[in-house]
Amino acid sequence: MTSKTTVKTLLILGASGDLTGRLLLPGLAGLLASGRAPGLRLVGAGSDPWTPEQWRERVSGAFAAAAGTANDAGRAALETVAGATEYHQLDVTADGPLAELLATLEGPIAIYFALPPHISQKACEVLRREQIPAGTRLVMEKPFGSGTESAHELNKTLAALVPEDHIHRVDHFLGKATVLNILGLRFANRFLEPVWNREHIEKVEIVFDEDLALEGRARYYDTAGALRDMIQSHLLHIMAFLAIDAPATIEERDLRDAVATVLRASSIKAPFADTTRRARYTAGTLGERSVPDYAAEDGVDPSRNTETLAEVRVEIDNWRWQGVPFILRSGKAMGRRRKEAVITFRPVPHLPRGFSGVDSPNQLRIGFGPDVLQLDVDVNGPGDIFTLDRASLVTELNAAGMLPYGEVLEGILNGDPLLSVRGDTAEDCWRIIEPVLRAWEAGDVPLEEYDAGGAGPAAWPTAVVE
């Protein structure tokens, strides 16, 4: 689903920031090294007074890993981009400087807003449509806005500048390989789709537990928390791909219409003390490293009561999924890195007498990074063939071959909005979680605690999944 690259200049705003150095530039390096972005020019802009040498050093350093494994053509492409790149110090929220820079760049241009959401909003508000070169693409990081109202206002601001299909709301967790693996599994297997509904599935759990703590990101994370940072921004979309009806095609309009339909039917029901949980890590150990209490981390304001582990039960009110809980969970400083969807099927209606052993419901696990498929089934065990044992059928799914941001950038440069989040969907994701945020701020749901490096509170429904 790629085409000839249309974007000629990639302008990164926030070029001196963490996102650019840690994720964007390495992703771009892989794309360049594979020959998928010929003729691209890279320009950085930021508020820091960097010299051209500092910027080129950052770019070359971020390109080094890809250069080490690239062929001669790939290394040449990396060297060309790194050698010709420019850095401009400017205030993107001031009226004039950003527009003046855009006027000097070769189009079409992709403007990547690697900035906090409120700065991105201000930067767009000072631009006017006539200042945007033809074909320009606006690339916004999630979270998109800070709530339903702010997301709606940002959508209006962007729509006044460029058409909707030139707006890329990035969700790098939805890599093309991950999405297509889910869709291929769901819709290419005759035996699976007929049981993919409320009659046969008991629950769906989507877990994204990280074995990392704050890692210096307190300034952002302490104002966001796990619910905004991961569940609103990413896991709701993974849920939607698992829950959609089969689209006619996997082109962006059909697929994004199907996602929007699921999310419109989704909600988290009150009372939120029953359907949501939140917790914050205390001091503990991650591997060989001691981790302080979250409230004692640099840059954290303990009075905010920011959660580092969140779990919500989403209900999808439609014919296929009525009554099936979708449990979404994400946490930091967990003892085990766990990124997977677990589909638990209902028990068999009757097991013939004479069998012994544990008869447990079948489970299908879809792992994200690495992408692995595991089907757990009950089979006759060795020795006593009347005893049922659990067996797992495991296979690796196709990997992307590129870093997640490489996939993101390829879609942007090629004008493929397949994995970008549509404006109405971005607002719906906020609509789903905003009642929970209000209940948490009011103290209606207690803030529990768990040890860093542990498994989280033992009483949570997702805690027992192994």
Side-chain angles (χ1 to χ4, degrees):
M1 298 190 66
T2 59
S3 59
K4 186 177 179 181
T5 301
T6 57
V7 168
K8 294 298 184 184
T9 303
L10 174 61
L11 170 62
I12 300 177
L13 307 181
S16 56
D18 174 71
L19 171 65
T20 298
R22 186 167 52 90
L23 296 172
L24 263 181
L25 291 177
L28 176 62
L31 189 60
L32 292 167
S34 64
R36 301 188 200 184
L40 183 70
R41 183 183 179 214
L42 172 65
V43 177
S47 59
D48 292 317
W50 279 19
T51 64
E53 291 73 22
Q54 282 178 289
W55 170 242
R56 281 195 290 269
E57 285 176 12
R58 162 167 267 209
V59 173
S60 298
F63 283 8
T69 58
N71 58 23
D72 289 345
R75 281 192 295 273
L78 290 166
E79 290 170 3
T80 298
V81 171
T85 189
E86 297 177 0
Y87 178 84
H88 299 265
Q89 181 186 1
L90 56 85
D91 178 0
V92 297
T93 65
D95 190 0
L98 179 55
E100 291 169 7
L101 174 59
L102 292 174
T104 69
L105 302 179
E106 180 185 4
I109 305 165
I111 309 174
Y112 202 113
F113 292 82
L115 299 165
H118 67 284
I119 301 296
S120 298
Q121 170 91 28
K122 290 179 181 176
C124 293
E125 286 173 350
V126 299
L127 287 172
R128 297 185 297 279
R129 182 184 282 269
E130 62 268 20
Q131 296 172 325
I132 305 288
T136 294
R137 302 187 179 278
L138 304 180
V139 189
M140 315 299 292
E141 271 285 328
K142 296 187 78 179
F144 185 80
S146 56
T148 307
E149 185 176 343
S150 67
H152 181 69
E153 289 303 312
L154 183 52
N155 278 333
K156 285 174 57 180
T157 299
L158 297 177
L161 298 176
V162 298
E164 170 65 29
D165 63 359
H166 281 57
I167 302 168
H168 294 259
R169 300 169 188 85
V170 168
D171 188 347
H172 67 273
F173 282 84
L174 293 180
K176 187 171 289 187
T178 296
V179 170
L180 295 182
N181 281 335
I182 292 174
L183 299 180
L185 174 70
R186 290 238 6 235
F187 301 124
N189 294 289
R190 180 63 180 262
F191 72 92
L192 199 56
E193 181 59 18
V195 299
W196 207 261
N197 56 52
R198 64 187 301 272
E199 300 297 329
H200 300 280
I201 290 178
E202 182 177 280
K203 64 180 177 178
V204 178
E205 296 163 298
I206 302 171
V207 179
F208 203 96
D209 283 352
E210 299 181 274
D211 55 357
L212 299 172
L214 274 187
E215 317 303 328
R217 296 178 69 228
R219 186 172 66 173
Y220 160 71
Y221 194 86
D222 198 43
T223 60
L227 183 59
R228 289 184 180 91
D229 182 49
M230 284 300 306
I231 293 176
Q232 184 277 143
S233 290
H234 307 299
L235 300 193
L236 282 172
H237 261 78
I238 292 177
M239 179 197 80
F241 281 113
L242 288 168
I244 61 172
D245 289 334
T249 73
I250 55 172
E251 294 176 0
E252 63 89 12
R253 181 174 178 180
D254 287 337
L255 190 55
R256 298 205 296 180
D257 279 350
V259 166
T261 298
V262 166
L263 291 174
R264 282 197 301 272
S266 301
S267 63
I268 302 169
K269 302 287 197 297
F272 299 114
D274 295 336
T275 58
T276 74
R277 291 169 174 81
R278 58 176 180 150
R280 184 168 72 183
Y281 69 76
T282 56
T285 303
L286 283 172
E288 302 295 320
R289 184 163 59 95
S290 294
V291 176
D293 190 305
Y294 176 83
E297 292 264 27
D298 289 341
V300 166
D301 178 358
S303 67
R304 286 198 180 104
N305 288 328
T306 300
E307 80 286 351
T308 59
L309 176 64
E311 181 181 288
V312 300
R313 187 174 77 220
V314 182
E315 296 182 24
I316 303 175
D317 295 321
N318 63 16
W319 188 285
R320 182 189 288 261
W321 295 115
Q322 186 67 44
V324 177
F326 283 75
I327 301 172
L328 279 51
R329 160 180 163 146
S330 182
K332 282 191 174 294
M334 309 303 295
R336 184 160 77 94
R337 182 177 180 270
R338 216 177 125 213
K339 302 177 181 180
E340 64 177 355
V342 183
I343 294 90
T344 301
F345 291 87
R346 296 190 183 280
V348 295
H350 172 71
L351 182 68
R353 287 189 299 273
F355 282 116
S356 61
V358 177
D359 172 38
S360 52
N362 303 122
Q363 288 187 323
L364 179 66
R365 296 170 181 266
I366 305 170
F368 308 117
D371 287 4
V372 176
L373 182 68
Q374 176 179 321
L375 178 62
D376 296 335
V377 296
D378 290 325
V379 297
N380 301 74
D384 182 1
I385 61 172
F386 292 99
T387 300
L388 295 172
D389 288 333
R390 174 52 51 103
S392 296
L393 311 176
V394 182
T395 187
E396 291 187 8
L397 301 173
N398 288 327
M402 272 196 301
L403 294 172
Y405 270 88
E407 291 188 292
V408 165
L409 289 169
E410 183 176 33
I412 293 164
L413 300 181
N414 293 333
D416 179 5
L418 176 66
L419 300 183
S420 296
V421 177
R422 204 166 65 186
D424 58 336
T425 302
E427 294 179 33
D428 249 331
C429 288
W430 280 116
R431 189 263 311 160
I432 292 167
I433 71 154
E434 272 190 324
V436 180
L437 290 170
R438 288 194 293 268
W440 288 7
E441 289 166 2
D444 295 344
V445 178
L447 181 65
E448 302 177 54
E449 293 185 338
Y450 63 99
D451 294 337
W460 290 27
T462 49
V464 296
V465 179
E466 291 295 341

